[in-house]
Amino acid sequence: PLHRARWISAAIFVVALIVRLIPADLFLYVTPDEPIWVYRSARFLQFLKGGSSSSFPETGHPGVTTMGLGALGIQAMLWLRPAEAQIHWRWIMSLGNLAPENGAAMRHLSYFLPAGRAAVAVVTSAGLVALYLMGRKVLGERVARLLSVMLALDSFFLGHSGILHTDALQATFVLLSALPILSVFSPDRKRRGWPALALSAFLLALAGLTKTLGLLAAPGIALLLLLGGHENWMRRVGSVVIFGFLTICFFLGGYPPVWWKGWEGILPLVDAFRYLSLIHI
């Protein structure tokens, strides 16, 4: 029943959020990458506020979703505590670059870190709710519920979900991107078509915008489209082409350097993708 699903969704979100926020807000740990993500988020916020294209922090990740959530956290602090937050904000923006040996910068960067962590925790917790709601249609109510709860309490996943980083966001978007495509195995034709392809492509593009390695899930999803469903092979191949085209469009549309550099804006990501792929392999 819909009423029961709403209560379960609320319970999953609350439990997932609590276990992610407590260690993050208590500052039980700070990963080495988080200060640089705060700095990148500050520059990203400056870009969103109308800064020049040079203010956009280009990295090989590319980390757009991470920087976006970090920027949201910074802006929230600027709204909630304008006088105090402005001091830290101006100091950070006065930096030409963030050197690893700059210990003085940590005090200013750490001021915005809890808010950025909270934003990531909210999104990853909401992702588990989406996993339950989307999964119950293709996996069944019980399996979707247990999967969401297990991921909410999994120590490795929740540990990454409470920090300002790319990994948990990438995992969330990749996982969610596969669910709409699983509907191709259902004989119910109402569950298939453009909406499922577009949603899956959008979520996979978000995974790639978080970390380019997230795009490695594309061949697996394409294989699901080819092997699943009840259509002829030409329609299945057509679905793969549409899925790939939409993923590329969403990815390129969500990566700002492409807007003013074109193909040259993608080249650093391609080089980083090759490098990171070799490291992970």
Side-chain angles (χ1 to χ4, degrees), residues 26-262:
L26 291 179
F27 260 81
L28 298 180
Y29 50 82
V30 175
T31 67
D33 293 339
E34 285 184 285
I36 188 63
W37 280 116
V38 176
Y39 176 67
R40 290 168 179 165
S41 298
R43 291 182 57 197
F44 186 68
L45 179 59
Q46 184 185 39
F47 168 77
L48 294 177
K49 286 178 175 287
S52 64
S53 60
S54 60
S55 64
F56 182 85
E58 295 186 49
T59 71
H61 292 83
V64 174
T65 58
T66 303
M67 292 187 295
L69 293 175
L72 180 62
I74 293 174
Q75 184 60 61
M77 296 302 296
L78 290 171
W79 284 332
L80 295 173
R81 300 177 180 175
E84 184 180 1
Q86 280 290 345
I87 296 175
H88 296 284
W89 162 258
R90 290 171 183 169
W91 195 96
I92 293 172
M93 297 315 301
S94 68
L95 288 174
N97 56 70
L98 181 62
E101 65 273 11
N102 191 347
M106 186 59 192
R107 181 173 65 88
H108 300 279
L109 295 170
S110 62
Y111 179 82
F112 296 109
L113 184 54
R117 285 176 159 186
V120 173
V122 169
V123 170
T124 52
S125 298
L128 292 174
V129 174
L131 172 64
Y132 165 68
L133 294 176
M134 295 167 62
R136 63 197 292 265
K137 298 179 180 180
V138 294
L139 302 175
E141 165 73 25
R142 184 178 182 184
V143 173
R145 183 175 69 250
L146 290 176
L147 178 60
S148 299
V149 172
M150 289 175 64
L151 287 176
L153 300 177
D154 177 75
S155 58
F156 184 79
F157 185 50
L158 76 85
H160 283 78
S161 301
I163 60 177
L164 186 61
H165 206 272
T166 59
D167 294 342
L169 292 170
Q170 176 191 249
T172 298
F173 294 132
V174 167
L175 181 60
L176 292 178
S177 69
L179 288 177
I181 302 303
L182 288 177
S183 64
V184 301
F185 291 98
S186 171
D188 184 0
R189 290 183 178 270
K190 295 181 180 179
R191 293 183 179 178
R192 296 185 290 122
W194 281 76
L197 290 175
L199 179 58
S200 179
F202 176 71
L203 291 167
L204 187 61
L206 287 180
L209 288 169
T210 304
K211 202 169 186 177
T212 47
L213 288 177
L215 296 176
L216 289 176
I221 294 178
L223 188 61
L224 283 176
L225 286 169
L226 288 174
L227 299 182
H230 311 278
E231 300 173 330
N232 58 52
W233 277 100
M234 289 301 295
R235 286 182 175 271
R236 298 184 194 183
V237 172
S239 295
V240 172
V241 173
I242 293 172
F243 167 76
F245 175 76
L246 290 176
T247 301
I248 293 173
C249 288
F250 286 134
F251 179 83
L252 296 180
Y255 189 57
V258 176
W259 307 346
W260 57 80
K261 288 185 178 181

Side-chain angles (χ1 to χ4, degrees), residues 4-14 125 129-130 132-133 136:
R4 183 168 180 265
R6 289 175 178 173
W7 279 106
I8 294 176
S9 298
I12 292 173
F13 180 78
V14 171
S125 298
V129 174
Y132 165 68
L133 294 176
R136 63 197 292 265

